[in-house]
Amino acid sequence: MKHAVRTTVSSCLIILILLVSGCTNSISTGAIEKGELYNTVGLAAGSQLFDANGLALEAYAEHAFIRTGFMWDAEVGCQLEGRFIGENGEWSDWLPMVTRWSEGLAHSGYIDVRGQSAIGFQLRHVAGPAPSYLMAEAIDQIGEAVERGQAVEQPESGYKSMQQALAPGNLVHSRADWGARSPACSSGSHSPSRITIHHTASPLPDSVSVITRLRQVQNYHIDTRGWCDVGYHYLVDWNGEIWQGRYETTIGAHVLDNNTGNVGISFIGTYNSSSPTSAQINNTAGLMSWLKNQYGISMTRTKVKGHREYRGNSAGDCPGDRLYAKLGDLVTLAAGGSVDPGDDPGDDPGDDPGDDPAGSSLIQGVVFLDQGQGTSDMSWRLPGATVSVSGHGNTVARASDAYWSVAVPANSYTVTASMSGYQTASRTCTVTDGSQVWCSVGLVPGDDPGDDPGDDPGDDPGDDPGDDPGDDPGDDPGDDPGDDPGQDPADNHEGQGKVYGHVLVGIEKRYAGDPELGDPVSGAKIMIYGEIIMTETDEDGYFEAWVDPGTYGIIAQAEGFLDGGNECSVVEGSETECEIRAIPDSHDLDPGDNDQTDIDMYPGCSTTGHMPSAAALVLILVIGLVYRRRDLS
């Protein structure tokens, strides 16, 4: 009875606070999913997450909670804090973010309630670059919810990896393909008898690579939610590639109180204003057909549901309105039937209905920084780039995500992208009648090689027409990250300063204190944010670059190492030393060794609670994987 009274009081308090606080016409929480507090993906045009003082709106949950969990993308130097309001209506002090995992721009972590549970939360941006993507949700339980008859077991000695998935390799990428962590515990087994479709409510087009987003989701589920593994059994990227999550006969963590017998398939992205691609629909239907044949799952809408159908069926909730509208097509295709392709509202992740006039085809893509992997890694976008489609004039890559699209009739087109400070690149793509074809273009830093159009290293008429995942980075001789004519020592560096240093092996310490330094790391790829300069370390691990005055995040990537980072300030006419530590990549850390209070590795979006002294000129940002446990309902 006391609990019922407290719940009523809490509900009244939330209503009162919402009435008093009112609305702001320029900032919004952007929350999409049930349980979310914030999501930048859901922000309307012209809205933003933070006001001029760095404050986000106060956000309130339907139920009391004990932790706010975060996934976010941000450049080096971002600082976030949060505070909670309890059932007594009092706000806590501002608390620092605990960063549990980082990889390049992508991070995950949490802020815990101090003391009793909370009913609301407020986030603030303290300093540095603002997140380009942030999702925060209220978490009322750490660890997987145990259903009746289910037991969650801790890993036994020697329990290191999932069994090999049964799904054939022509349908699904293995866990090894995306560098999945070993499960932190065992959630038990089940016999698949139904399917639930989800979306991850992350950016679309995405701001990081598929593999990075997969690892972000898994680490968020394990380290922040306390689950055994990534909650889903399969994840489908925007190119229609399917990635193995949990083994399908292992109980998942994707529908609260309805995980037993339930196979979770999640589409990476957000599908309210954007539509799933035909490749996503067709390939997922192929997987569902395999599940039907393998486990006898009936392909009906009673056995294949959207996540929202288990929790109120609200518009906009998971798996997004446009993907939810496709569930009938998925079922029909998986059962061996056919659907009218005209029903597909479009493959455009940016999905602007105005870009797709009736009866026309669409050629579309993004302009990105080519890091030597072609379109398999389009995480560094180049908004503002000029894109020309032969015979159809020029357009400009969108400011938010460098997306572009042009309505065209069926034909072959040469798409050329150009931008100051980058080598112009082209590719040829073929558009069939009524189709929507991807034709993304990557640019390499440096001056344009020459006025002769035939000199364009990206101009490959034989390039795969529109199939971005198959793009061969070897087609572009400019893909060499060290190939930067702008860094020739003979160049005039008037008005600039030099940043230099070494990449050295760092031996990770799980406790307070800096990593010990070891041997130099040769051949490491160096990326300097802000200037978008790419180079490589020599045999002594040394690198240098000339840049305009300012503060830069410098990232080092090397095979066999976690990304290392440092933030250094460069003054005109001076030389600044900027050492970077690279931690050997290991997936064998003991998941039971997870005393977060002893870990002092806060890479990427740092927090004021764990910042080095303000007098320090160098902020060491060790970008690494820290292993813990978590899940997703």
Side-chain angles (χ1 to χ4, degrees):
M1 186 62 168
K2 183 184 292 185
H3 175 73
V5 171
R6 186 168 55 203
T7 301
T8 302
V9 172
S10 300
S11 300
C12 292
L13 179 59
I14 291 173
I15 293 171
L16 178 60
I17 292 172
L18 290 173
L19 289 174
V20 172
S21 62
C23 300
T24 302
N25 58 9
S26 60
I27 62 172
S28 167
T29 66
I32 299 172
E33 301 295 302
K34 192 170 184 177
E36 282 185 355
L37 299 172
Y38 303 103
N39 194 328
T40 54
V41 175
L43 294 174
S47 295
Q48 53 191 11
L49 187 61
F50 302 106
D51 66 16
N53 297 316
L55 288 174
L57 288 177
E58 298 169 7
Y60 295 87
E62 294 183 352
H63 305 286
F65 59 99
I66 59 174
R67 168 178 286 183
T68 300
F70 298 87
M71 289 193 294
W72 74 101
D73 300 345
E75 294 186 1
V76 173
C78 171
Q79 299 174 31
L80 300 172
E81 293 180 338
R83 63 175 183 168
F84 298 91
I85 186 170
E87 295 177 325
N88 60 3
E90 296 181 0
W91 285 97
S92 71
D93 294 334
W94 289 100
L95 303 170
M97 176 88 74
V98 176
T99 303
R100 296 297 299 161
W101 174 87
S102 287
E103 182 176 300
L105 299 178
H107 316 276
S108 65
Y110 56 83
I111 303 176
D112 280 341
V113 176
R114 305 287 172 86
Q116 297 182 346
S117 58
I119 59 171
F121 179 81
Q122 186 176 26
L123 181 69
R124 75 174 177 182
H125 174 224
V126 180
S132 58
Y133 158 65
L134 181 141
M135 185 285 300
E137 61 180 342
I139 298 174
D140 59 6
Q141 174 180 320
I142 311 301
E144 299 198 6
V146 179
E147 298 176 25
R148 184 175 301 176
Q150 174 191 353
V152 176
E153 304 171 355
Q154 296 303 313
E156 300 174 359
S157 176
Y159 180 77
K160 286 292 183 182
S161 62
M162 299 283 281
Q163 303 175 55
Q164 176 62 42
L166 292 179
N170 64 328
L171 288 178
V172 177
H173 290 279
S174 71
R175 288 170 62 90
D177 286 348
W178 59 277
R181 284 171 57 178
S182 298
C185 54
S186 173
S187 56
S189 60
H190 66 173
S191 178
S193 58
R194 51 184 171 156
I195 296 171
T196 298
I197 304 298
H198 303 259
H199 69 174
T200 59
S202 53
L204 189 65
D206 212 332
S207 51
V208 299
S209 68
V210 175
I211 288 175
T212 295
R213 187 67 73 198
L214 287 166
R215 290 198 286 249
Q216 183 187 46
V217 171
Q218 185 194 35
N219 281 277
Y220 175 76
H221 288 179
I222 295 176
D223 295 333
T224 294
R225 301 221 52 160
W227 295 348
C228 293
D229 197 356
V230 60
Y232 312 115
H233 296 92
Y234 302 98
L235 296 97
V236 186
D237 70 29
W238 50 91
N239 294 314
E241 299 292 310
I242 302 176
W243 305 82
Q244 182 77 52
R246 296 192 186 198
Y247 183 51
E248 59 268 11
T249 56
T250 297
I251 297 174
H254 56 100
V255 180
L256 184 63
D257 295 330
N258 279 282
N259 285 306
T260 301
N262 200 343
V263 176
I265 303 175
S266 188
F267 285 55
I268 300 173
T270 303
Y271 297 89
N272 280 316
S273 60
S274 300
S275 301
T277 66
S278 56
Q280 287 179 302
I281 295 298
N282 291 333
N283 292 352
T284 302
L287 171 65
M288 291 167 56
S289 178
W290 178 85
L291 290 168
K292 170 179 71 74
N293 296 332
Q294 186 74 23
Y295 299 107
I297 302 175
S298 175
M299 286 298 112
T300 65
R301 282 289 279 113
T302 59
K303 291 294 186 179
V304 179
K305 294 183 177 181
H307 188 192
R308 64 171 65 174
E309 295 178 80
Y310 288 98
R311 56 182 192 183
N313 207 3
S314 301
D317 196 14
C318 184
D321 293 342
R322 295 202 176 188
L323 177 53
Y324 183 73
K326 287 292 184 181
L327 297 190
D329 286 356
L330 281 172
V331 167
T332 299
L333 291 169
S338 61
V339 297
D340 181 0
D343 292 340
D344 188 355
D347 290 347
D348 176 8
D351 214 18
D352 180 358
D355 288 342
D356 188 14
S360 70
S361 303
L362 195 72
I363 188 168
Q364 62 191 336
V366 297
V367 183
F368 61 96
L369 175 65
D370 194 332
Q371 302 177 65
Q373 301 179 46
T375 53
S376 63
D377 185 353
M378 299 187 292
S379 57
W380 287 23
R381 303 297 172 84
L382 298 176
T386 299
V387 179
S388 66
V389 178
S390 55
H392 288 269
N394 298 336
T395 187
V396 176
R398 193 162 60 190
S400 60
D401 50 21
Y403 173 80
W404 59 271
S405 64
V406 177
V408 295
N411 207 336
S412 291
Y413 298 93
T414 298
V415 175
T416 302
S418 61
M419 190 174 188
S420 177
Y422 297 86
Q423 298 179 23
T424 298
S426 300
R427 63 180 298 187
T428 300
C429 298
T430 300
V431 180
T432 56
D433 190 33
S435 68
Q436 300 190 10
V437 173
W438 279 93
C439 197
S440 298
V441 181
L443 301 182
V444 176
D447 296 330
D448 201 314
D451 296 331
D452 183 359
D455 287 340
D456 182 357
D459 193 2
D460 183 359
D463 204 3
D464 185 3
D467 189 6
D468 276 344
D471 193 29
D472 182 4
D475 289 346
D476 188 349
D479 281 340
D480 180 3
D483 185 12
D484 185 356
Q487 293 302 307
D488 188 334
D491 287 351
N492 180 11
H493 300 301
E494 182 178 354
Q496 294 185 314
K498 184 169 80 171
V499 60
Y500 70 96
H502 293 81
V503 178
L504 303 174
V505 177
I507 303 170
E508 181 181 9
K509 287 185 177 180
R510 299 298 306 281
Y511 303 96
D514 290 336
E516 299 172 1
L517 296 181
D519 297 330
V521 179
S522 62
K525 181 166 37 174
I526 304 295
M527 290 167 285
I528 303 179
Y529 286 79
E531 289 279 323
I532 315 294
I533 289 174
M534 301 175 67
T535 185
E536 281 190 0
T537 56
D538 63 17
E539 60 184 10
D540 297 320
Y542 177 81
F543 69 91
E544 66 176 46
W546 289 88
V547 296
D548 292 333
T551 300
Y552 298 93
I554 303 178
I555 303 298
Q557 295 180 335
E559 185 175 356
F561 295 87
L562 305 176
D563 289 359
N566 201 340
E567 186 175 76
C568 297
S569 297
V570 179
V571 178
E572 180 180 349
S574 71
E575 297 186 359
T576 300
E577 185 175 11
C578 200
E579 302 290 354
I580 298 178
R581 297 161 182 181
I583 305 297
D585 191 359
S586 170
H587 293 277
D588 296 323
L589 293 178
D590 180 1
D593 182 15
N594 54 23
D595 184 359
Q596 67 200 35
T597 60
D598 290 335
I599 299 176
D600 193 25
M601 298 181 68
Y602 295 87
C605 197
S606 58
T607 63
T608 56
H610 296 276
M611 288 274 290
S613 167
L617 296 178
V618 176
L619 173 63
I620 302 299
L621 300 169
V622 182
I623 298 179
L625 301 175
V626 181
Y627 294 82
R628 212 169 176 278
R629 308 178 24 190
R630 164 193 92 208
D631 159 326
L632 181 134
S633 292

